[in-house]
Amino acid sequence: MTQFSAWNVIKNGFNGQKGWSRQWRDPEPKANYDIVIVGGGLHGLATAYYLAKNFHLKNIAVVEKGWIGGGNAGRNTTIIRSNYMLKGNREFYEASLTLWENLSHELNYNVMFSQRAHIGLYHTPNALDAAARRYNIMRQTGSDGEIWSRNTIKKKIPHLNFADDARFPIHGALVQKRAGTARHDAVAWGYARAADMLGVDIIQQCEVTSIKRSAQKISSLHTSRGEITANKVAFAVAGNTSRLWQMAELGNLPIESHKLQAFVTEPIKPLLDHVVVFGVAGAHFYISQSDKGGMVFGGDIDWYKSYAQKGNLPIVQDVAECALSLMPCLGRVKLLRHWSGVVDMSMDGSFFMCKTPLDNLYLNAGWNYGGFEASPASGWYFADLIANDRPDKVIQNHDLDRFRRGVHIDERGAGSDPKLHG
Ligand SMILES: Cc1cc2nc3c(=O)[nH]c(=O)nc-3n(C[C@H](O)[C@H](O)[C@H](O)COP(=O)(O)OP(=O)(O)OC[C@H]3O[C@@H](n4cnc5c(N)ncnc54)[C@H](O)[C@@H]3O)c2cc1C
């Protein structure tokens, strides 16, 4: 595999770009693997990479029903932050942000990680108290966070709506400067290429259609490209987790599959240097500008359960209203595209990374609004769980049993209703 380097870029500039090799192989599935990861999204690919890199395991496959990065991996609004405060989440997302900071070098692939700062607006003086608590916890635990006054925001982001009668009056913001965005497809391709270089088979167009099991173990996976047996099986299928869970005859999960939409406008000149976010009184909105110039934004999930990767118009209206209330100048920009992904909303809004009732099955699920920023740490800790057959202490409460123990990792304090965890 050709490494990306300044020297190779210059050399290929002179030889008509003929010196680049394939980014990853396209192998036929083998009949048996030590580990099969179902789902070629960011979490599946990152897990395969860290299994091979950190634990020197070789006989691993990632099976993907479509193409890698075709699920939520390539559909998200690419926001990366670590402003979580609850035990477990705090350490996990901070570890993820730290991995992001070196990811392009680690993978020898430019994931275009841009630490452009995450600006969480607040719209009442009281909101500052709650938010300051979160940011103080972050600072006390080695992360970064600061408060910007209304005047500071006005200087830095003059296009926001500072009118006295604004629907969402801006009182200030909580800022994480190390946060930002990355190019989502590049992350999937970077992990795939790096995992492939370490011997992982990445098998696309290979859907798991049924699962054979005994009382305690999965014995084989029936796929659209033949039967595959594996010593260990890992699910990392995001919004399809409940489907795979039922194929394994494991009953129900504390997860609901919901649609989340994203939007992009036509490209415009540089307008917004940061990621700007707010969530207040039922409204939820986040916006940034892509490197191509499009304004990328989104809001809440579609409020009803579905596996369709297609959004509905009420949310389009809702999000457009938020966009215009916050940045009235966007009223003259054309919306280019909108799309949807299927996110797996858990009862407390936090993820699952755990062993399961079956001895050789491992679960990685429950990712919703923050699943993109989580992907490096998700791969890291999930690989550790699979390789060592026990959870690291950081993820030990992210198991399916936590609700029975009374452990709710509820960052929002919204209660046991999946759709409220935005
Ligand atoms: C519109 C939108 C905006 C978002 N914005 C952000 C954001 O700004 N920041 C953030 O941190 N997070 C965001 N997220 C969440 C984040 O994208 C997801 O939580 C994360 O991508 C999920 O993990 P994944 O990449 O592994 O999932 P996916 O990419 O969905 O991977 C799962 C894969 O499993 C495959 N699969 C399913 N069933 C089978 C089967 N039977 N056999 C084989 N393969 C199968 C699917 O085809 C899919 O490719 C957003 C999500 C959406 C939808």
Side-chain angles (χ1 to χ4, degrees):
M1 184 90 50
T2 324
Q3 284 285 314
F4 292 112
S5 63
W7 166 243
N8 273 333
V9 168
I10 294 164
K11 198 170 81 180
N12 279 284
F14 284 106
N15 74 6
Q17 306 295 342
K18 294 204 178 87
W20 301 114
S21 50
R22 246 191 110 97
Q23 295 294 289
W24 56 84
R25 296 165 298 126
D26 184 21
E28 283 301 313
K30 295 194 284 192
N32 177 265
Y33 288 94
D34 291 340
I35 302 169
V36 170
I37 297 161
V38 187
L42 297 165
H43 295 247
L45 294 166
T47 304
Y49 171 71
Y50 292 116
L51 275 168
K53 163 92 191 307
N54 294 355
F55 300 98
H56 312 292
L57 298 171
K58 293 274 174 243
N59 195 21
I60 304 168
V62 177
V63 297
E64 164 55 47
K65 73 173 172 181
W67 65 96
I68 60 165
N72 293 336
R75 292 165 189 266
N76 58 65
T77 41
T78 77
I79 298 169
I80 295 165
R81 61 192 163 90
S82 73
N83 57 352
Y84 294 74
M85 69 173 185
L86 298 181
K87 197 164 168 45
N89 278 355
R90 174 86 284 279
E91 299 88 333
F92 178 89
Y93 285 95
E94 192 55 34
S96 208
L97 185 52
T98 308
L99 288 170
W100 276 108
E101 287 175 322
N102 191 43
L103 200 59
S104 293
H105 293 286
E106 167 82 26
L107 301 179
N108 181 234
Y109 206 93
N110 185 3
V111 301
M112 297 167 75
F113 180 45
S114 155
Q115 290 180 291
R116 59 181 69 179
H118 179 274
I119 317 294
L121 299 175
Y122 61 89
H123 303 280
T124 64
N126 292 350
L128 172 65
D129 294 341
R133 176 174 171 238
R134 175 178 297 274
Y135 276 63
N136 282 334
I137 291 173
M138 286 162 62
R139 287 173 64 131
Q140 281 168 3
T141 49
S143 191
D144 66 313
E146 56 189 68
I147 293 174
W148 284 3
S149 68
R150 180 181 158 95
N151 281 342
T152 307
I153 305 170
K154 223 174 182 173
K155 272 191 223 130
K156 303 232 186 218
I157 321 175
H159 308 293
L160 298 183
N161 189 354
F162 293 98
D164 290 337
D165 62 348
R167 182 175 169 204
F168 303 114
I170 295 169
H171 283 254
L174 287 142
V175 177
Q176 186 177 28
K177 282 191 171 161
R178 286 164 60 237
T181 60
R183 169 82 194 266
H184 46 195
D185 327 86
V187 186
W189 301 333
Y191 270 121
R193 177 173 170 275
D196 175 89
M197 281 168 84
L198 295 172
V200 173
D201 281 1
I202 293 162
I203 305 166
Q204 302 183 78
Q205 308 296 336
C206 182
E207 178 171 4
V208 173
T209 50
S210 63
I211 292 172
K212 218 187 271 172
R213 57 164 274 204
S214 62
Q216 278 313 312
K217 280 178 83 161
I218 290 194
S219 19
S220 70
L221 300 171
H222 190 264
T223 79
S224 51
R225 295 179 66 178
E227 194 93 354
I228 301 178
T229 58
N231 299 345
K232 294 183 177 181
V233 176
F235 289 168
V237 291
N240 283 286
T241 307
S242 39
R243 284 179 160 162
L244 268 291
W245 201 249
Q246 287 193 340
M247 279 185 210
E249 295 171 19
L250 287 166
N252 293 324
L253 280 170
I255 283 178
E256 290 181 357
S257 294
H258 284 265
K259 293 180 295 183
L260 179 60
Q261 299 193 50
F263 305 80
V264 66
T265 68
E266 61 184 331
I268 53 176
K269 286 182 180 173
L271 178 74
L272 186 60
D273 294 336
H274 311 291
V275 177
V276 177
V277 175
F278 74 88
V280 61
H284 183 198
F285 184 70
Y286 33 94
I287 187 165
S288 64
Q289 187 163 20
S290 80
D291 297 312
K292 282 195 253 173
M295 304 304 295
V296 180
F297 51 90
D300 267 321
I301 52 175
D302 269 26
W303 297 108
Y304 63 92
K305 290 167 264 178
S306 168
Y307 291 115
Q309 283 178 317
K310 214 169 153 194
N312 282 286
L313 291 174
I315 287 287
V316 180
Q317 179 174 347
D318 196 48
V319 169
E321 281 171 5
C322 283
L324 295 194
S325 308
L326 192 68
M327 293 182 83
C329 61
L330 291 181
R332 296 173 62 187
V333 179
K334 291 195 185 80
L335 189 64
L336 205 60
R337 286 182 291 129
H338 71 109
W339 61 89
S340 157
V342 187
V343 286
D344 39 334
M345 307 292 300
S346 64
M347 290 293 156
D348 57 4
S350 287
F351 61 90
F352 300 105
M353 196 177 293
C354 54
K355 297 181 68 171
T356 68
L358 300 182
D359 291 345
N360 65 343
L361 176 65
Y362 302 84
L363 178 68
N364 179 324
W367 302 105
N368 36 77
Y369 296 84
F372 177 62
E373 64 221 11
S375 36
S378 171
W380 182 284
Y381 284 107
F382 199 38
D384 177 72
L385 169 70
I386 297 166
N388 293 317
D389 202 34
R390 55 97 193 99
D392 183 277
K393 65 176 184 324
V394 168
I395 56 159
Q396 69 190 1
N397 273 328
H398 286 84
D399 61 349
L400 289 168
D401 192 49
R402 68 174 178 259
F403 304 111
R404 200 185 53 77
R405 298 196 305 276
V407 178
H408 282 237
I409 313 173
D410 183 351
E411 290 281 335
R412 226 186 170 196
S416 304
D417 188 345
K419 67 180 181 307
L420 297 181
H421 290 284

